[in-house]
Amino acid sequence: MKKLFRNIMLVAMAAMTFNACEDVPEPYDIPGTGINTPGTAELEGAEGTGTASDPFNSVAALNLGNQLASGEETTEYYYVKGKVVSIREEFSTQYGNGTFYISSDGTTANQFYAYRVLYLGNKKFAASDTQIKIGDEVVICGIITNYNGTIETAQNK
């Protein structure tokens, strides 16, 4: 009887374990399957020209990135403005850069991936610098790339 009870409990625990892990999101993005993957149609709501005085919003940056082939990057630097939606890697003194998502309205719709961007003035992050937070409005300047299907900024550029 003890053996039967133990086996039933082991099967029940295994079933609960697999069921509990079913809805846990992956801790990383799989290139080409993320929320900012290239498509053939232009997204609506694009604003800005990409200059310092009139930066792109996240939609315009995604539209520009969608025109690039996989592995291709722009030859010019563009300014992109948006609100921080989520932070992948906070700015740190170890590498001097940070990774986060921005969108025009602060929601998860049409997010642009700011990948390993440097701090203000194109300098590495220092311990005395202010950390970004979700909801902060930021303007980044960088090269936009289509990295294996993910539209993002080129690392440290």
Side-chain angles (χ1 to χ4, degrees), residues 53-74:
S53 60
D54 187 25
F56 282 149
N57 64 359
S58 63
V59 176
L62 291 173
N63 283 341
L64 176 64
N66 284 336
Q67 297 172 7
L68 301 171
S70 182
E72 188 180 6
E73 58 184 40
T74 60

Side-chain angles (χ1 to χ4, degrees), residues 72-135:
E72 188 180 6
E73 58 184 40
T74 60
T75 55
E76 298 178 33
Y77 283 80
Y78 292 95
Y79 288 84
V80 183
K81 181 179 181 178
K83 291 185 180 180
V84 177
V85 176
S86 64
I87 302 171
R88 289 289 195 179
E89 297 172 5
E90 286 190 336
F91 282 98
S92 70
T93 54
Q94 181 178 8
Y95 300 112
N97 58 32
T99 301
F100 50 91
Y101 284 97
I102 62 173
S103 73
S104 303
D105 53 4
T107 64
T108 57
N110 298 321
Q111 296 180 71
F112 179 73
Y113 194 35
Y115 181 70
R116 294 194 177 161
V117 295
L118 296 174
Y119 202 69
L120 291 174
N122 208 27
K123 305 262 191 267
K124 290 193 174 211
F125 179 80
S128 61
D129 292 333
T130 306
Q131 192 62 254
I132 61 169
K133 296 180 208 79
I134 293 175

Side-chain angles (χ1 to χ4, degrees), residues 97 115-117 145 152-157:
N97 58 32
Y115 181 70
R116 294 194 177 161
V117 295
T145 184
E152 61 187 41
T153 57
Q155 179 178 337
N156 291 323
K157 291 185 180 179

